[in-house]
Structure formats: C-alpha cells, structure tokens
C-alpha cells in the first residue's frame, strides 16, 4: 500500500502532467481553430499516465532481466522494437549523442 508521501508525489506528478498536456492541447487547438474541453484534457492526461506506468514497468523488467538495477539505452530500444517510426527516431538521436572518435593526428 502506497504511503501518504508516495500518494502526494503521484498527485503532484499528475498535476504537472495535466498542466503540460493542457499547454500542448491549447497550442494545437488554437492553431487548428477548435476547442478542447477540460474533460478531454483530463482524459488525455489519464491515458498518458497509464501509458507512462506501463512503459516504466516494462523498462524495469527489461533491466532486471539483464541483471541491472539501472535502466539502460538498450532497454529503451527493446521497448521501441514494435514501433518502427519511434525506433528510427531513437536510433537517429542515439547516433547524435554518441561522441565521435577524434581522428589521429598525422605527422608531417
């Protein structure tokens, strides 16, 4: 059973998520000229929260299966294996993050 402190943290995180999603929805609805109700934003927030919980459990399982206590890049790539578009974006981003090997200095 979660402690009161854990429940309070979860509520703060959900509130922050609701605020962020609300900002994104507001920007997008202004751009396309439609309205979104607070109920829509709340439902979208709950859906995203459920997805975050599911993904976090999968990532924890992958790292535990590999004998690690920390989630690694390989875990995220394994999670994205069924979404080709996401996997391509992540692979591209990973390549930009990897340091390039410096070329060896040449003698003259």
């Amino acid at each position: 059973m979660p402690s009161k402190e854990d429940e309070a943290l979860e509520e703060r995180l959900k509130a922050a998520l609701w605020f962020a999603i609300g900002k994104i929805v507001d920007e997008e609805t202004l751009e396309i000229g439609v309205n979104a109700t607070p109920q829509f934003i709340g439902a979208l927030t709950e859906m995203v929260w459920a997805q975050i919980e599911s993904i976090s459990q999968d990532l924890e399982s992958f790292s535990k299966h590999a004998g690690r206590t920390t989630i690694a890049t390989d875990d995220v790539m394994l999670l994205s294996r069924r979404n080709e578009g996401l996997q391509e974006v992540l692979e591209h981003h990973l390549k930009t993050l990897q340091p390039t090997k410096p070329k060896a200095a040449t003698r003259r």
Side-chain angles (χ1 to χ4, degrees), residues 21-67:
I21 289 173
K23 283 180 66 173
I24 293 168
V25 168
D26 286 346
E27 290 171 7
E28 293 299 318
T29 56
L30 284 174
E31 188 174 310
I32 60 175
V34 297
N35 292 323
T37 65
Q39 292 82 4
F40 171 78
I41 295 171
L44 184 58
T45 301
E46 287 300 320
M47 184 182 72
V48 170
W49 184 262
Q51 191 68 25
I52 290 169
E53 286 182 325
S54 174
I55 288 171
S56 65
Q57 290 171 357
D58 287 347
L59 290 172
E60 285 180 17
S61 296
F62 295 158
S63 67
K64 284 180 185 176
H65 181 74

Side-chain angles (χ1 to χ4, degrees), residues 59 62-63 66 68 70-80:
L59 290 172
F62 295 158
S63 67
R68 291 180 273 104
T70 304
I71 294 170
T73 306
D74 290 341
D75 301 321
V76 177
M77 295 308 296
L78 183 60
L79 183 69
S80 70

